[in-house]
Amino acid sequence: MIRVVSWNIAKWTAPWRELAEMARRGEADVALLQETGNPPGDLARPFRYENDIGWDRSLCDRWPLVVQLSDRVEMEWFRQAPPKSGGFGVREVGVSGIGTMAAARVAPRGRPREAFVAVSMYAAWIKANPSTGKNPGIASDVSAHRILSDLSTFIDYEDPSRHRILAAGDLNMFHGATGRRLSWVERERTVWDRFEALGLAFLGPQTPNGRPAASPQPDVPADTRNVPTYRTARQSPGEANRQLDYVFASRGFHEKITVRALNDVDEWGSSDHCRLLIEIADG
């Protein structure tokens, strides 16, 4: 079994130390991180990752990473390349949104036939053009669609189910939203539909694979199965009531995968997002 943790660490230092402890205890093999910087200098050696993002670093102060945490897996990272005509090399991934995704090929050590592509996703907020109004709003579906377009280059048009892709991260959306206080409902629905059209099955996490919210969740129906993965600055982990983090996998491959939100108060961790634990069965 391969264990993957997905986590938005908000560019904080403490989560790196928690990841180092998880690695030391053998609790995770791979980390899909969002909103990272570089790890603290004294922790750089335990982590292996590709940090060549292919962009001017001044354009983005935080970015996703795919990080190797154990020797139980073998990894090859895809270098992020800006959009270009004519396609990309076998070791490149085209990334059309700065700071939105990172990818690597992961395999159990000695079993290359079980390899899969692991993608860390961050649907960053994008401000609307000022021409839209006096106080232009922000939306995350802009970044999400860029991620999906970039992911599409890994997927065969005729039979997407033959692929082995795991994509996880922070989409800054509420799955199943019907309210409009914080959601752009119709626009966001196109994102969920597009994952499905690309053959990427939605894996939640959903109840019972995570603690349900103690108070009503914004913009979603009362019978939602969403589980809180994010707390605002005014909330404690126990008061968290918003799910922003999700996991998807290629249809067929998804049957080998289980997902759980580590969102109990005593396991939440040191970021404003909790961790998602993703377990991939052998074979």
Side-chain angles (χ1 to χ4, degrees):
M1 177 183 293
I2 293 178
R3 292 182 173 89
V4 178
V5 59
S6 178
W7 199 9
N8 182 321
I9 64 174
K11 207 179 179 181
W12 295 346
T13 296
W16 286 107
R17 303 195 183 283
E18 289 189 56
L19 286 168
E21 278 300 300
M22 292 182 75
R24 184 185 64 80
R25 296 192 298 261
E27 295 174 352
D29 304 299
V30 179
L32 305 180
L33 304 181
Q34 301 88 47
E35 289 201 86
T36 74
N38 294 318
D42 62 318
L43 289 180
R45 293 187 65 183
F47 302 112
R48 281 163 280 179
Y49 56 90
E50 173 60 67
N51 205 11
D52 185 355
I53 62 171
W55 298 99
D56 179 349
R57 188 73 75 186
S58 67
L59 298 174
C60 181
D61 73 338
R62 59 194 66 197
W63 48 88
L65 287 177
V66 181
V67 180
Q68 184 173 355
L69 299 179
S70 87
D71 291 329
R72 297 181 62 251
V73 294
E74 299 174 302
M75 295 180 58
E76 294 180 343
W77 286 266
F78 294 94
R79 180 184 181 274
Q80 296 185 38
K84 59 184 178 182
S85 62
F88 302 92
V90 71
R91 295 292 302 279
E92 288 184 320
V93 56
V95 178
S96 52
I98 299 173
T100 57
M101 66 175 283
R105 192 177 304 280
V106 180
R109 184 162 296 278
R111 304 204 301 274
R113 294 178 65 87
E114 297 179 28
F116 60 92
V117 174
V119 179
S120 177
M121 307 183 293
Y122 177 60
W125 292 106
I126 302 294
K127 190 176 229 181
N129 188 283
S131 66
T132 60
K134 184 177 179 181
N135 295 304
I138 57 175
S140 59
D141 63 288
V142 178
S143 294
H145 278 296
R146 287 173 176 160
I147 293 168
L148 285 162
S149 293
D150 298 332
L151 262 177
S152 298
T153 63
F154 288 105
I155 299 171
D156 179 71
Y157 176 77
E158 293 186 354
D159 184 13
S161 67
R162 72 181 182 86
H163 300 288
R164 292 165 63 92
I165 297 172
L166 171 70
D170 175 8
L171 295 183
N172 280 313
M173 298 178 192
F174 306 137
H175 182 261
T178 55
R180 290 173 169 78
R181 183 166 66 90
L182 297 173
S183 299
W184 292 45
V185 176
E186 290 80 11
R187 285 174 54 158
E188 292 177 11
R189 189 176 299 129
T190 67
V191 173
W192 310 114
D193 290 346
R194 195 171 173 193
F195 273 108
E196 178 69 20
L198 289 173
L200 294 169
F202 175 74
L203 297 179
Q206 301 268 271
T207 56
N209 296 315
R211 175 181 58 85
S215 61
Q217 301 185 49
D219 284 5
V220 295
D223 62 352
T224 182
R225 293 182 57 209
N226 288 2
V227 295
T229 65
Y230 167 77
R231 61 182 178 88
T232 69
R234 296 182 178 183
Q235 293 175 324
S236 68
E239 296 169 324
N241 67 341
R242 305 181 186 192
Q243 180 165 3
L244 301 180
D245 305 86
Y246 305 94
V247 180
F248 299 82
S250 301
R251 199 171 295 117
F253 179 47
H254 81 285
E255 296 174 354
K256 299 179 180 295
I257 298 173
T258 58
V259 181
R260 183 168 71 90
L262 301 181
N263 66 352
D264 280 341
V265 173
D266 60 355
E267 65 182 358
W268 184 278
S270 55
S271 179
D272 52 353
H273 292 251
C274 76
R275 294 162 289 179
L276 307 184
L277 181 63
I278 305 159
E279 296 183 326
I280 305 165
D282 296 336

